[in-house]
Amino acid sequence: MSCYNRRDLGLLLLRLGTGGVLAAHGAQKLFGWFGGHGIEGTGQFMESVGYAPGRASATAAGLAETGGGALLALGLATPAAGAAAAGAMAGAAAVHVPNGFFAQEGGYEYAATLGLAAAGLAVAGPGRLSLDHAVGHVFDRGWMVPAALGVTAAVTAAVVGARNCRVRRAAEEAAGRQGTLFEE
């Protein structure tokens, strides 16, 4: 008989809560569930905030959130699941940074909290009440944590960097058009 400790129960609660919220959030993007806008609507939004192409960006974000969240909740492939979800939340946080920290002002608080929880679970591991433990941690090896987080960090930095360049360029073009209106 196996005895589960507080750490295992705590990790289970964190995985179920964080993973469930992320999976639902991603399902809004992918399927339009829970009041979401689906791929088309989310793609249009993604394009409007600088992630291009919008449909591909919506699909990638939706898959990272839905898949990463579901896998975190199950405790399966925890390093990759946590890294994918954290990367998606870093991309979301980039959109909200200009609004400050707190969510009620449109800030990045919510995205940062989910992303940090997902990254923390990737590092801490799933605990014994998980599918990773049940299958002998074949998808949860020590080397997978830095590999998953490193690859995700590099891809996220490239995607967010390209988005920031597009947003900056659009702002400069808008300012240039505004200047010509005043000159006429």
Side-chain angles (χ1 to χ4, degrees):
M1 173 146 182
S2 200
C3 182
Y4 300 105
N5 62 28
R6 289 176 23 198
R7 180 181 181 278
D8 293 320
L9 292 173
L11 288 170
L12 174 65
L13 289 173
L14 280 170
R15 284 193 352 261
L16 290 174
T18 303
V21 169
L22 283 162
H25 198 65
Q28 289 180 307
K29 289 176 178 65
L30 290 177
F31 311 117
W33 295 354
F34 312 116
H37 299 288
I39 291 293
E40 290 305 318
T42 303
Q44 291 171 7
F45 170 75
M46 296 289 255
E47 193 86 34
S48 77
V49 296
Y51 287 110
R55 184 178 173 88
S57 298
T59 301
L63 288 172
E65 292 170 12
T66 304
L71 289 172
L72 276 177
L74 295 169
L76 183 62
T78 304
M89 291 298 98
V95 172
H96 296 282
V97 163
N99 301 322
F101 179 71
F102 292 104
Q104 73 258 22
E105 301 296 324
Y108 62 95
E109 171 186 20
Y110 179 68
T113 300
L114 286 175
L116 288 169
L121 287 165
V123 172
R128 290 185 291 170
L129 297 170
S130 66
L131 288 180
D132 273 333
H133 182 74
V135 299
H137 294 278
V138 295
F139 305 112
D140 179 35
R141 304 280 187 214
W143 64 267
M144 293 175 181
V145 175
L149 290 172
V151 168
T152 300
V155 170
T156 301
V159 169
V160 170
R163 177 248 173 211
N164 289 346
C165 286
R166 279 190 288 279
V167 168
R168 195 171 19 259
R169 193 171 332 127
E172 289 168 357
E173 289 172 5
R177 283 191 304 271
Q178 189 73 8
T180 58
L181 288 176
F182 289 121
E183 292 172 7
E184 294 175 358

